[in-house]
Amino acid sequence: YKKERMKRLFTLLLLGSSLAGWAQQVNGSFDETWEDCIPYNADEKTQGTEPVGWQCSNTRGVKGTGAATFTQSVTGRNGQGYAVQLKNGETGISFFKSNVPAYICLGTPWATSVGISKSDGGAFGGLDFTYRPDAIEFYYQRTATASSTQPGTVVAYLWSGTYTQASVPQSIVITGTPTTSDMTDRDRNILEKSLDGCQGGAVTQEGTLVASLEHSITANTADGKWDYACIPFTYKSTTTKPEKINIIFAANDYFGARTAIVKDDQLVVDDVRLIYYNTLKSLSYEGANLNFNENTLSYDLSQFKYEAAKLSFEKKAVGGTAQATYNETSGIVTIKVTGEDNASTTYSLQFKKVTGEICPRNKTLLHRDGRIHRRLPHRHSAGRRSKRTVRLQCCYTHSHHLHP
């Protein structure tokens, strides 16, 4: 079932790539028809639904006793499509009840407990992914109960290799001992979070955290209004190529104490999108005051003769490219900045145009920048030379060498 889900998600990614660019690397609109949710270690029994490509924290409890749904589809932003509603709830029976966090992720949610003690959970694994996004953007609605001080959370990270933790309990029981097994790529281990109070054994690290972000949503939004957030990734390594990604949205403080979870705190999310920058971070030319702004695309440097060594610039993106090209005829330098989603921005710098005059003594055209053009006679078809008509042969190259 999981393989079929990944196959369907991969098809969606290919469709997004062909129509909207590489930035559509996650199904962040949530508008595709939702699928049955089969909680981890729930004997293939369903509990509610979840958006394509994502998995949620709905639970089957203990063999269906205490089953609960925390993720719902609601009307999307601008009244179109679907959004994801995450609402903390509770599970259990009688006096064996505890609050449960509502979250979705690209990996696999899991939970364990013995009655209402030895609780633990989170996410492991993620989606195969080799790009380097610069940020993640989304729209949200946040509603916390009057007595709650807990935030909502977005967590995202990219990594390569594997992190394996031994003997992690991965089932829920009323009494006795939960089933244990090794867990690969647990969120806490990749992000180097403390395991104090957590379940499981030693961690074997054979991987590298490439980039991550963690953002708390603390303020309630106005009734019916959507707020916008764009959170940048922090890269620990710009040379290591990522292999996997996980993104988590939670209605609680995701890495906080499970005893602090507040029932009915809610987070609604829509239009999640990975961002790839395609602008410059800095631009300067020695001796000039550019007043650079990444959104200003044209600069007048016509009082300066262009010298490549005096121009410096840096792209904003971790990936992508930035390439400068000089046109001698127009005196314009263009800098094309391309993001990893293939979107691009072009900056234009107007330098002094090359001009010159004829030197009568040696019949050459002498430019002010030192270039020399020889004056050569033009031959007519009859073989006679014209004294009035001349053509110019350029004897200058980009390396500024003069040729005989």
Side-chain angles (χ1 to χ4, degrees):
Y1 177 77
K2 187 172 183 180
K3 288 183 178 179
E4 181 62 30
R5 286 166 55 92
M6 290 300 103
K7 180 179 179 182
R8 186 172 178 186
L9 175 60
F10 184 67
T11 301
L12 286 172
L13 295 181
L14 289 179
L15 179 62
S17 296
S18 62
L19 296 180
W22 292 357
Q24 302 298 328
Q25 289 294 341
V26 294
N27 177 29
S29 70
F30 309 117
D31 294 338
E32 184 81 2
T33 301
W34 284 33
E35 300 179 324
D36 288 339
C37 169
I38 302 180
Y40 182 64
N41 279 348
D43 300 324
E44 296 298 307
K45 299 292 178 64
T46 64
Q47 184 66 41
T49 60
E50 58 194 8
V52 176
W54 300 79
Q55 297 186 63
C56 65
S57 59
N58 294 351
T59 181
R60 290 286 299 162
V62 180
K63 297 182 179 180
T65 301
T69 297
F70 314 113
T71 302
Q72 303 275 0
S73 63
V74 295
T75 302
R77 190 170 66 94
N78 297 326
Q80 299 179 350
Y82 299 120
V84 176
Q85 176 186 277
L86 306 168
K87 189 173 183 179
N88 297 337
E90 64 179 7
T91 185
I93 56 174
S94 186
F95 54 86
F96 286 111
K97 285 190 176 182
S98 61
N99 289 344
V100 178
Y103 61 95
I104 59 169
C105 63
L106 297 178
T108 301
W110 68 282
T112 184
S113 66
V114 179
I116 57 174
S117 64
K118 296 184 179 181
S119 296
D120 200 359
F124 66 89
L127 182 69
D128 290 344
F129 190 84
T130 58
Y131 307 109
R132 291 180 292 177
D134 298 292
I136 185 171
E137 71 172 12
F138 58 95
Y139 290 84
Y140 68 93
Q141 295 175 330
R142 170 66 175 171
T143 306
T145 60
S147 60
S148 176
T149 59
Q150 292 290 294
T153 315
V154 55
V155 178
Y157 49 97
L158 303 107
W159 75 101
S160 65
T162 58
Y163 296 71
T164 305
Q165 185 173 8
S167 304
V168 179
Q170 296 176 43
S171 62
I172 299 172
V173 296
I174 298 297
T175 60
T177 303
T179 302
T180 64
S181 63
D182 293 349
M183 180 175 287
T184 301
D185 295 336
R186 181 178 180 177
D187 46 14
R188 285 183 174 272
N189 297 332
I190 296 171
L191 293 169
E192 301 175 352
K193 297 286 185 178
S194 171
L195 292 175
D196 290 348
C198 297
Q199 306 296 309
V203 178
T204 301
Q205 177 178 338
E206 296 177 327
T208 301
L209 174 63
V210 177
S212 65
L213 63 84
E214 185 175 341
H215 176 72
S216 295
I217 300 171
T218 56
N220 282 358
T221 52
D223 186 34
K225 301 296 183 181
W226 292 86
D227 276 1
Y228 170 80
C230 185
I231 314 301
F233 281 95
T234 298
Y235 274 78
K236 292 191 66 175
S237 173
T238 57
T239 57
T240 303
K241 187 176 183 179
E243 297 175 352
K244 303 168 192 172
I245 186 174
N246 192 19
I247 301 172
I248 304 165
F249 287 97
N252 67 313
D253 180 0
Y254 184 73
F255 288 114
R258 297 183 71 82
T259 55
I261 297 168
V262 177
K263 181 183 176 183
D264 293 332
D265 277 4
Q266 176 178 291
L267 179 66
V268 181
V269 180
D270 200 5
D271 294 331
V272 179
R273 183 168 169 261
L274 295 172
I275 300 299
Y276 299 83
Y277 297 148
N278 57 20
T279 58
L280 290 178
K281 179 180 180 180
S282 64
L283 172 65
S284 63
Y285 189 79
E286 186 178 323
N289 182 13
L290 292 182
N291 292 321
F292 171 72
N293 182 294
E294 68 177 88
N295 297 316
T296 301
L297 304 184
S298 298
Y299 296 88
D300 183 8
L301 294 170
S302 55
Q303 71 272 36
F304 294 93
K305 181 183 71 174
Y306 176 61
E307 297 179 50
K310 292 184 177 181
L311 178 67
S312 62
F313 54 88
E314 181 183 2
K315 58 185 173 64
K316 186 177 179 180
V318 173
T321 60
Q323 184 174 5
T325 303
Y326 176 48
N327 185 308
E328 290 185 359
T329 302
S330 64
I332 295 176
V333 171
T334 56
I335 304 173
K336 184 176 182 180
V337 186
T338 304
E340 283 204 353
D341 60 348
N342 281 341
S344 64
T345 300
T346 299
Y347 295 83
S348 177
L349 289 73
Q350 176 67 67
F351 286 89
K352 181 185 295 184
K353 294 181 180 180
V354 174
T355 59
E357 58 185 12
I358 297 293
C359 178
R361 176 176 296 181
N362 55 13
K363 309 297 184 182
T364 60
L365 181 67
L366 181 62
H367 281 257
R368 292 189 178 94
D369 62 356
R371 293 190 299 167
I372 297 176
H373 287 79
R374 289 189 177 182
R375 187 183 188 213
L376 300 178
H378 178 75
R379 294 185 181 272
H380 291 280
S381 58
R384 294 187 304 166
R385 294 186 178 181
S386 170
K387 294 182 179 180
R388 296 181 179 178
T389 306
V390 296
R391 60 187 174 91
L392 298 178
Q393 176 184 357
C394 182
C395 299
Y396 174 74
T397 68
H398 289 286
S399 57
H400 292 214
H401 292 303
L402 297 179
H403 297 279

